[in-house]
Structure formats: structure tokens, C-alpha cells
């Protein structure tokens, strides 16, 4: 299913002060998350035990999710983080982090770890 | 027990009404008046993510190093570079920002702050259109309409609305009762929760800000009627109320958020919004419309001010032969084009907040990180130089969200005699001068 990703500020999942959570595990718990509309949840036949695999031309990531009726149908929201930025891009020297097409499917994989993302960034840099 | 009144550097609001209560051992007993973000800022003093010693990467691991060794390595990396970039500076003092600019000049580098990819965009656009800006004090004392466009301060600058919406002012004695809050956002954000009967919540269809702004420009110039079906998912009656408030109120403040900074194929929503403000200021005979840029980092606007005062340009400064030269680049295009051979990152986390493709390019070149805590960038940096927490362990100057300078207060000595960002950059600048 294709949804439009918006990366947003959420005080309980906030990285504005970057990495203030103190522990990597706590950061992963707070930041590797997406919020979807309950109708999209139904359409994707999701259950609470599943995770979301989000991918597009820029990258991919697995995150846990919560239903939130305030998120418009057809969109998905993620806190601004290294996880959301696997899917964002740039345009004319500006960040493009709203209304980004992402493919979204259910996954039984665990959320992507910070160390995996760092490894991917380093590896990508070498090639 | 003793009490200290301090300025909070949790966000760009720089609240100056925070009271710290200390016990007899000098430890924080309670923080009075701070929001969640402010409290986190003070807690970060003791965070287990604190960086307390310099580190140098050997193979894939960061190893603790003595200051002399880490500084020697830093200077060597700078000497080996002919095209360095310096980036960050939005969570440090203006004094440190000034030293960063001096360093960029001394090493013929390119320096930019987070502002360039955040609210600096608004500032940049306003050079083309002109813009009226306002201050928090003006909104408190005179504000009638507070319009949040793509901006959710409840989550990003939590006490902002407490101060400007709920407060009583010199000319608005009843405060909240006569101030109207308008929110334009595709998401029913937390800011909607404080709306009352006179307020106007406008749930716009996602990515249709441009459509609404273009229509409002025509409607306000009386070149177009509001269509019966509404515009951009907003119904006709709500739009009529919006327009009536915009053209017939004394003091209107538009607070612009990240939602308005997105590039679009169809046009430039931000530029059109500034043009709409210009139109409103022509048709509104009672008063005026002004803006505040909703940047979150506590001294993001400070970099623009510091750079402007030192160089005459507010961001994206490229030096050659110690002279500022013209450039069309910003930090994103410099990295995209691989137009750098060293990065010096100060108080920010580009690996977290920039897109994957940019991060991948950034890590291909040596990196020096100056910061007080571990972050994603810490895991890819080659040299890490720890510093004191600005506004808690060192004083200085910062510019508030409304471009008003605020003096920061030092509360505690930093652990391990860590230098401030300013002191460290002065030391690096002096060593470069000596050599």
C-alpha cells in the first residue's frame, strides 16, 4: 500500500535535542515508530503484533506503529529521526520530509536497530 | 536549600522564568516552571550519553585520548584539508558561533547552520518579498489573531502558547478571551486541543497549502469569491471567518512551521505566503500582519544574526584566501556534490536529521565532532571533542525565536573541566594562528 510520509515533531518522540533519551534501546523504542490512520490499519489487515516495513526509492526501515485517528487517511507520520530519514530526500538544496510516497507493508521483522542504520550509512559511503 | 532563576535552553523560547531549587549538596532538587523539554535539558547534565573525554577513532572503534593528542589530531586533519565544511552551531552560544566563523575564515572553509535547512529558508525568501516580523512581547501586549500555519508549538516549543495566547498584555487585558487562535494543518495536532469557541481549526487537505494561499491572495484582493465547495478541504464558512479575521483585525501574527518549508513542483508555498501577507498589509486598514519563524533549536536564529553582523551574510558562508566569496551552495548542495574533504560538526546530529543519501556522502570524508553527548553522528566521527552544555555549564548569548537576544546563565561547572564550545574553538583558532 502506498502512503504519504510526513516526518513531524512529537514531544514524547522528540529528537530535537538529539539523543537525549540516554540509552540506545530507549531511543529505538521512542523513535523507530510510525503513526497510521485506523482505516489504513484495517485496509492493510494489520495486527498489533506486526511491524511496518516502509520503503521507497531512497531507503527502507522497519518500525513499530500505533493507530492514531488524527493522522489523515492515506498518510503516515514518523518523528524526525534517523529512521524517518531513511525515506526522505532533498530537492534544490532543501529537505523534502513531508508528503513523501512510501510503500508500506506488514512485517514480522523487528524494528531496525540504530547500529544497523549506522552500518548501512557507513557501507553506503564506501561504495 | 537555595533557589536560582535561570534561562532554559531546552528550545528557542529561552524561558527566563525557570527556578532551580538546589539541595545543600548543590544538586537539583526540583525544576520549577520548565516544560518536558526544558527538564530534559537540565537532566542531560547527568545523562549516561554524556561525552566526558576526547575520543579518536582507531579502525572502527572510538578510543579515549588525552586532550593534547586529540587537539593534535584535529589540527592535523584541518591542515590536511583544503576544502573543509563546518556545520551545526544552533545549540551553542553566539560567541561560539562567532569563533566558528573565524575558524572557517582561517582555514578557507564553508560554514552553515541548521537554520539554512529550517527557518533560515523563510528569512531567505523574505529578502525577495520583504516581511514584517514581530516579537513575543508585541503578541502578548497587542495580539488579536495568532495563526499557526504548519506549526505545532505544543510539541516543539511547549510553553509558547502559554506565553503569547493565555497571557494578558498591556492592551489586551483579558488575554485568552479576546485572542483568536487559528490553526492550519493537515493533522489534528495537539495544538487543536486548546481551541475554544472563538478559535478556528482548519484541517487542510495534505499538501494543498499552495492552493489555499493562492486562493486567499485573490479573495483578499476581491478578485475571487469563496467557492461554495470550499478550498483545499476547508469549508466555505470557515474560510469566510478566516478572511474576516485576516483583513479586519489590528494585530495578526502568523507563526510559520516546518510544514511550510517544503519545496514543491507546483510553486513555492512560502514565497506565496509572504506575498499574501504583503497583500493583507495593504488591504487591512486597521493594523498589520507579521510573522515569527518557528525554529526549535535554542539558538538557531542566533547563527543568522552572528553571521550577518560579522560578514554581512546570514548563512552559507564560503571563505577563500580568508575572504568571504559568493556562493549559491548551502550545506546540502556542498555534501551532495561531494564538494568538501573534511567536516567539522558542532552541536548537531546530521546523521540523524539529514536524509540517508546525504549521510552516506558525509561519512566518506574525515569528520570532527564537537558535542556534549553521544548521538548518531558520534558513531561515525573520527575525532570527538567534548564540551560543556551551553546555558547550563557555560553562559553566553542566544537569540530567542523572535530574534531577541537573551543572556544565558551558567548554573554549574562542567564535569572534567570540559571547555565551552567557544573556549575550544578559540583554542583551535589560536593553535592555527600559531602555526
Amino acid at each position: 500500500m502506498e502512503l504519504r510520509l510526513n516526518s513531524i515533531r512529537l514531544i514524547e518522540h522528540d529528537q530535537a535535542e538529539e539523543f537525549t533519551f540516554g540509552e540506545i534501546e530507549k531511543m529505538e523504542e521512542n523513535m523507530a515508530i510510525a503513526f497510521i490512520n485506523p482505516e489504513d490499519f484495517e485496509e492493510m489487515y494489520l495486527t498489533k503484533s506486526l511491524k511496518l516495513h516502509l520503503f521507497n526509492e531512497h531507503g527502507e526501515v522497519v518500525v513499530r506503529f500505533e493507530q492514531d485517528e488524527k493522522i489523515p487517511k492515506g498518510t503516515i507520520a514518523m518523528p524526525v529521526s534517523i529512521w524517518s530519514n531513511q525515506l526522505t530526500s532533498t530537492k534544490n538544496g532543501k529537505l523534502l520530509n513531508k508528503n513523501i510516497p512510501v510503500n508500506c507493508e506488514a512485517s514480522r521483522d523487528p524494528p531496525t536497530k540504530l547500529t544497523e542504520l549506522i552500518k548501512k550509512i557507513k557501507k553506503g559511503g564506501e561504495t | 536549600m537555595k533557589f536560582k532563576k535561570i534561562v532554559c535552553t531546552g528550545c528557542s523560547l529561552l524561558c527566563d522564568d525557570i527556578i532551580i531549587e538546589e539541595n545543600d549538596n548543590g544538586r537539583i532538587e526540583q525544576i520549577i516552571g520548565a516544560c518536558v523539554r526544558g527538564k530534559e535539558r537540565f537532566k542531560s547534565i547527568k545523562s549516561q550519553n554524556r561525552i566526558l573525554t576526547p575520543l579518536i577513532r582507531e579502525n572502527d572503534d572510538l578510543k579515549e585520548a588525552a586532550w593534547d593528542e586529540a587537539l593534535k589530531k584535529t589540527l592535523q586533519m584541518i591542515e590536511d584539508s583544503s576544502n573543509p565544511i563546518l556545520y551545526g552551531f544552533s545549540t551553542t552560544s553566539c560567541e561560539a558561533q562567532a569563533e566558528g566563523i573565524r575558524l572557517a575564515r582561517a582555514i578557507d572553509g564553508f560554514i552553515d547552520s541548521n537554520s539554512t535547512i529550517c527557518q533560515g529558508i523563510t528569512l531567505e525568501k523574505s529578502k525577495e518579498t520583504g516581511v514584517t516580523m514581530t516579537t513575543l512581547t508585541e503578541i502578548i501586549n497587542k495580539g488579536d489573531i495568532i495563526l499557526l500555519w504548519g506549526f505545532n508549538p505544543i510539541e516543539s516549543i511547549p510553553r509558547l502558547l502559554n506565553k503569547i495566547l493565555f497571557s494578558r498584555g498591556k492592551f489586551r487585558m483579558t488575554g485568552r478571551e479576546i485572542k483568536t487562535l487559528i490553526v492550519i494543518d493537515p493533522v489534528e495536532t495537539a495544538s487543536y486541543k486548546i481551541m475554544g469557541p472563538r478559535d478556528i481549526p482548519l484541517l487542510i487537505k495534505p499538501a494543498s497549502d499552495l492552493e489555499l494561499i493562492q486562493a486567499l491572495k485573490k479573495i483578499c484582493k476581491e478578485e475571487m469569491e469563496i467557492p461554495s465547495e470550499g478550498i483545499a478541504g476547508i469549508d466555505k464558512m470557515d474560510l469566510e471567518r478566516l478572511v474576516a479575521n485576516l483583513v479586519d483585525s489590528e494585530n495578526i501574527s502568523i507563526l510559520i512551521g516546518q510544514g511550510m518549508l517544503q519545496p514543491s513542483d507546483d510553486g513555492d508555498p512560502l514565497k506565496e505566503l509572504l506575498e499574501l501577507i504583503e497583500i493583507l498589509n495593504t488591504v487591512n486598514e486597521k493594523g498589520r500582519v507579521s510573522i515569527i519563524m518557528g525554529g526549535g533549536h535554542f539558538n538557531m536564529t542566533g547563527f543568522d544574526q552572528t553571521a550577518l553582523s560579522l560578514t554581512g551574510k546570514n548563512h552559507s558562508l564560503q571563505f577563500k584566501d580568508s575572504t568571504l566569496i559568493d556562493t549559491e551552495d548551502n550545506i546540502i548542495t556542498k555534501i551532495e556534490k561531494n564538494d568538501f574533504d573534511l567536516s567539522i560538526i558542532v552541536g548537531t546530529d546530521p546523521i540523524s536529521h539529514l536524509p540517508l543519501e546525504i549521510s552516506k556522502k558525509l561519512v566518506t570524508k574525515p569528520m570532527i565532532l564537537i558535542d556534549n553527548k553521544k548521538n548518531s553522528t558520534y558513531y561515525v566521527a573520527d575525532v570527538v571533542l567534548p564540551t560543556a552544555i551551553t546555558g547550563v555549564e557555560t553562559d553566553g548569548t542566544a537569540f530567542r525565536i523572535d530574534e531577541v537576544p537573551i543572556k544565558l546563565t551558567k548554573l554549574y561547572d562542567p564535569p572534567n573541566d570540559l571547555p565551552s564550545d567557544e573556549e575550544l574553538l578559540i583554542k583551535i583558532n589560536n593553535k592555527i594562528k600559531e602555526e
Side-chain angles (χ1 to χ4, degrees):
Chain A
M1 181 178 193
E2 187 181 289
L3 297 174
R4 295 277 168 159
L5 170 70
N6 292 305
S7 60
I8 58 173
R9 293 286 184 203
L10 291 164
I11 200 160
E12 286 172 6
H13 306 271
D14 196 282
Q15 209 179 13
E17 282 303 319
E18 282 132 7
F19 220 100
T20 54
F21 293 116
E23 304 159 26
I24 288 181
E25 293 75 19
K26 201 172 171 195
M27 184 194 187
E28 288 170 343
E29 190 185 316
N30 280 282
M31 310 299 290
I33 188 169
F35 298 87
I36 63 166
N37 184 283
E39 286 184 44
D40 290 328
F41 174 90
E42 294 286 332
E43 277 184 35
M44 291 172 70
Y45 301 105
L46 290 170
T47 62
K48 285 182 181 175
S49 65
L50 292 169
K51 304 289 179 284
L52 284 181
H53 176 217
L54 304 172
F55 58 102
N56 63 12
E57 60 188 304
H58 308 298
E60 63 175 327
V61 71
V62 177
V63 293
R64 65 188 184 90
F65 67 90
E66 286 179 15
Q67 295 178 67
D68 188 339
E69 60 190 16
K70 295 186 188 75
I71 303 299
K73 187 176 175 341
T75 72
I76 185 164
M78 289 177 78
V80 178
S81 72
I82 192 170
W83 283 272
S84 66
N85 278 320
Q86 301 301 300
L87 305 160
T88 60
S89 64
T90 61
K91 187 174 183 178
N92 303 330
K94 296 191 182 82
L95 299 184
L96 197 57
N97 49 22
K98 308 265 186 206
N99 206 38
I100 302 160
V102 291
N103 297 299
C104 188
E105 62 183 19
S107 172
R108 293 214 174 270
D109 291 338
T112 315
K113 296 272 181 200
L114 176 68
T115 48
E116 292 171 46
L117 297 177
I118 298 285
K119 263 187 205 165
K120 191 199 287 181
I121 288 167
K122 282 185 177 174
K123 198 179 166 193
E126 285 164 10
T127 53
Chain B
M1 292 284 182
K2 60 179 175 179
F3 296 90
K4 287 180 181 171
K5 193 173 178 193
I6 53 142
V7 173
C8 175
T9 49
C11 74
S12 57
L13 194 55
L14 295 173
C15 292
D16 57 0
D17 56 353
I18 309 300
I19 305 284
I20 296 284
E21 183 186 352
E22 284 181 348
N23 63 22
D24 295 337
N25 299 322
R27 288 176 178 271
I28 296 176
E29 193 69 22
Q30 66 169 326
I31 305 159
I32 304 165
C35 67
V36 177
R37 287 186 63 163
K39 284 180 180 165
E40 286 294 321
R41 179 76 175 165
F42 293 110
K43 279 186 201 165
S44 67
I45 309 170
K46 300 283 180 193
S47 166
Q48 55 182 295
N49 265 324
R50 201 67 205 270
I51 311 169
L52 296 169
T53 55
L55 299 126
I56 297 174
R57 189 167 298 280
E58 286 176 20
N59 299 320
D60 212 23
D61 297 318
L62 282 171
K63 306 275 187 200
E64 286 189 9
W67 269 105
D68 283 351
E69 188 190 353
L71 282 173
K72 194 176 164 193
K73 175 81 176 166
T74 299
L75 292 167
Q76 188 60 53
M77 288 167 76
I78 291 173
E79 197 181 318
D80 292 344
S81 162
S82 59
N83 189 13
I85 53 172
L86 296 87
Y87 175 61
F89 297 94
S90 62
T91 58
T92 191
S93 65
C94 293
E95 290 79 359
Q97 292 167 345
E99 286 305 321
I101 293 168
R102 285 188 191 106
L103 175 59
R105 186 186 290 274
I107 62 178
D108 280 347
F110 173 89
I111 183 167
D112 222 342
S113 86
N114 308 64
S115 175
T116 304
I117 50 172
C118 189
Q119 288 296 349
I121 298 171
T122 311
L123 211 56
E124 194 59 31
K125 294 285 170 205
S126 69
K127 287 177 187 170
E128 298 166 26
T129 56
V131 74
T132 309
M133 294 173 78
T134 187
T135 65
L136 302 185
T137 310
E138 186 180 11
I139 303 176
I140 290 166
N141 286 326
K142 297 180 180 174
D144 296 312
I145 308 293
I146 297 168
L147 195 168
L148 310 179
W149 202 317
F151 180 45
N152 179 19
I154 301 279
E155 305 276 3
S156 55
I157 305 176
R159 296 185 72 212
L160 179 64
L161 293 180
N162 293 37
K163 295 201 170 186
I164 62 172
L165 181 67
F166 289 90
S167 55
R168 294 178 182 183
K170 196 171 178 183
F171 305 105
R172 297 292 182 270
M173 294 302 283
T174 50
R176 179 69 180 100
E177 297 89 327
I178 59 157
K179 287 179 181 171
T180 300
L181 179 66
I182 304 172
V183 181
I184 301 178
D185 207 300
V187 179
E188 196 182 320
T189 63
S191 296
Y192 280 79
K193 289 182 185 165
I194 56 160
M195 300 193 95
R198 70 178 296 130
D199 300 329
I200 311 176
L202 300 173
L203 268 176
I204 190 171
K205 208 166 65 185
S208 52
D209 302 83
L210 187 66
E211 181 190 347
L212 176 61
I213 296 165
Q214 287 173 338
L216 285 174
K217 282 166 71 177
K218 289 180 186 165
I219 294 162
C220 291
K221 284 196 284 186
E222 295 181 350
E223 292 172 0
M224 173 183 162
E225 294 282 318
I226 300 172
S228 57
E229 71 275 16
I231 300 164
I234 301 170
D235 76 39
K236 189 182 177 195
M237 274 181 69
D238 280 343
L239 286 167
E240 282 172 352
R241 282 182 68 198
L242 171 68
V243 172
N245 276 295
L246 291 178
V247 300
D248 198 26
S249 300
E250 273 185 27
N251 190 292
I252 302 153
S253 301
I254 300 181
L255 282 71
I256 298 172
Q258 275 282 337
M260 286 301 293
L261 306 180
Q262 294 297 295
S264 161
D265 285 331
D266 306 324
D268 187 338
L270 188 56
K271 185 168 176 274
E272 301 247 5
L273 178 63
L274 295 174
E275 287 169 1
L276 169 65
I277 291 170
E278 205 178 344
I279 292 166
L280 288 169
N281 278 329
T282 309
V283 299
N284 185 333
E285 292 177 353
K286 271 191 179 174
R288 65 178 166 86
V289 184
S290 39
I291 66 161
I292 281 189
M293 300 172 288
H297 286 177
F298 81 81
N299 198 21
M300 188 185 284
T301 56
F303 187 88
D304 288 289
Q305 298 282 353
T306 305
L308 200 57
S309 68
L310 288 178
T311 69
K313 193 179 175 212
N314 61 313
H315 65 94
S316 307
L317 311 175
Q318 176 71 64
F319 292 95
K320 191 180 177 190
D321 299 329
S322 299
T323 305
L324 185 70
I325 60 167
D326 287 340
T327 179
E328 294 294 313
D329 281 318
N330 67 13
I331 191 65
I332 298 294
T333 59
K334 285 286 279 188
I335 300 170
E336 266 176 345
K337 292 191 282 189
N338 277 317
D339 185 14
F340 71 106
D341 60 6
L342 168 73
S343 64
I344 302 173
I345 308 295
V346 180
T348 192
D349 184 11
I351 297 300
S352 281
H353 73 228
L354 296 181
L356 176 63
E357 289 306 317
I358 302 293
S359 293
K360 280 180 181 175
K361 289 187 175 176
L362 191 59
V363 301
T364 58
K365 309 288 165 62
M367 181 191 288
I368 298 162
L369 174 66
I370 297 175
D371 211 332
N372 53 56
K373 60 194 173 297
K374 294 176 191 172
N375 54 30
S376 300
T377 304
Y378 168 93
Y379 293 103
V380 300
D382 297 289
V383 172
V384 179
L385 302 174
T387 50
I389 299 174
T390 306
V392 180
E393 296 166 345
T394 177
D395 55 15
T397 311
F399 277 78
R400 206 169 59 186
I401 187 174
D402 55 349
E403 314 277 343
V404 171
I406 303 285
K407 193 79 189 149
L408 305 179
T409 41
K410 177 180 173 176
L411 194 58
Y412 299 111
D413 288 328
N416 294 3
D417 282 329
L418 291 176
S420 65
D421 293 328
E422 181 192 5
E423 288 166 343
L424 179 59
L425 288 163
I426 287 174
K427 194 175 267 186
I428 293 171
N429 273 329
N430 286 343
K431 295 245 181 210
I432 286 170
K433 214 172 177 180
E434 283 168 22
E435 286 175 9

